[in-house]
CSV table of all heavy atoms in Angstrom, one decimal:
chain,number,residue,atom,x,y,z
A,7,ALA,N,-65.7,-36.8,83.0
A,7,ALA,CA,-65.6,-37.7,81.9
A,7,ALA,C,-66.0,-37.1,80.6
A,7,ALA,O,-67.1,-36.5,80.6
A,7,ALA,CB,-66.5,-38.9,82.2
A,14,GLU,N,-71.0,-48.7,80.1
A,14,GLU,CA,-70.0,-48.4,81.2
A,14,GLU,C,-70.5,-47.7,82.4
A,14,GLU,O,-70.2,-48.0,83.5
A,14,GLU,CB,-68.8,-47.6,80.5
A,14,GLU,CG,-67.7,-47.3,81.5
A,14,GLU,CD,-66.6,-46.4,80.9
A,14,GLU,OE1,-66.8,-46.0,79.7
A,14,GLU,OE2,-65.7,-46.1,81.6
A,37,VAL,N,-88.5,-35.0,84.1
A,37,VAL,CA,-89.3,-36.1,84.6
A,37,VAL,C,-90.8,-35.9,84.4
A,37,VAL,O,-91.5,-36.8,84.1
A,37,VAL,CB,-89.0,-36.4,86.1
A,37,VAL,CG1,-89.9,-37.3,86.7
A,37,VAL,CG2,-87.5,-36.9,86.2
A,44,LEU,N,-98.6,-34.2,83.9
A,44,LEU,CA,-99.7,-33.3,83.8
A,44,LEU,C,-100.9,-34.1,83.3
A,44,LEU,O,-102.1,-33.8,83.7
A,44,LEU,CB,-99.3,-32.2,82.9
A,44,LEU,CG,-100.3,-31.0,82.8
A,44,LEU,CD1,-100.5,-30.4,84.1
A,44,LEU,CD2,-99.9,-30.0,81.8
A,46,ILE,N,-101.7,-37.1,83.8
A,46,ILE,CA,-102.2,-38.0,84.9
A,46,ILE,C,-102.8,-37.2,86.0
A,46,ILE,O,-103.9,-37.5,86.5
A,46,ILE,CB,-101.1,-38.8,85.5
A,46,ILE,CG1,-100.6,-39.8,84.4
A,46,ILE,CG2,-101.5,-39.6,86.7
A,46,ILE,CD1,-99.3,-40.5,84.7
A,61,GLY,N,-121.7,-33.4,95.3
A,61,GLY,CA,-122.1,-33.8,96.6
A,61,GLY,C,-121.2,-34.8,97.3
A,61,GLY,O,-121.4,-35.1,98.5
A,65,ALA,N,-115.0,-37.8,99.0
A,65,ALA,CA,-114.3,-38.5,97.9
A,65,ALA,C,-113.6,-37.5,96.9
A,65,ALA,O,-112.5,-37.8,96.5
A,65,ALA,CB,-115.4,-39.4,97.1
A,67,ALA,N,-112.5,-34.5,97.8
A,67,ALA,CA,-111.3,-34.0,98.5
A,67,ALA,C,-110.2,-35.0,98.5
A,67,ALA,O,-109.0,-34.6,98.4
A,67,ALA,CB,-111.7,-33.6,99.9
A,71,ALA,N,-106.6,-34.2,96.8
A,71,ALA,CA,-105.4,-34.3,97.6
A,71,ALA,C,-104.4,-35.3,97.0
A,71,ALA,O,-103.2,-35.1,97.0
A,71,ALA,CB,-105.8,-34.7,99.1
A,89,LEU,N,-82.3,-40.6,87.6
A,89,LEU,CA,-81.2,-41.5,87.6
A,89,LEU,C,-81.7,-42.9,87.3
A,89,LEU,O,-81.0,-43.7,86.6
A,89,LEU,CB,-80.5,-41.5,89.0
A,89,LEU,CG,-79.3,-42.3,89.2
A,89,LEU,CD1,-78.2,-42.0,88.2
A,89,LEU,CD2,-78.7,-42.2,90.6
A,95,ASP,N,-82.5,-46.9,80.5
A,95,ASP,CA,-82.7,-46.6,79.1
A,95,ASP,C,-81.5,-45.7,78.5
A,95,ASP,O,-81.2,-44.7,79.0
A,95,ASP,CB,-84.0,-45.8,78.9
A,95,ASP,CG,-84.4,-45.6,77.5
A,95,ASP,OD1,-83.7,-46.1,76.6
A,95,ASP,OD2,-85.5,-45.1,77.3
A,96,ALA,N,-80.9,-46.3,77.5
A,96,ALA,CA,-79.7,-45.6,76.9
A,96,ALA,C,-80.1,-44.3,76.2
A,96,ALA,O,-79.4,-43.3,76.3
A,96,ALA,CB,-79.1,-46.5,75.9
Side-chain angles (χ1 to χ4, degrees):
E14 183 182 358
V37 168
L44 191 61
I46 296 168
L89 184 58
D95 189 358

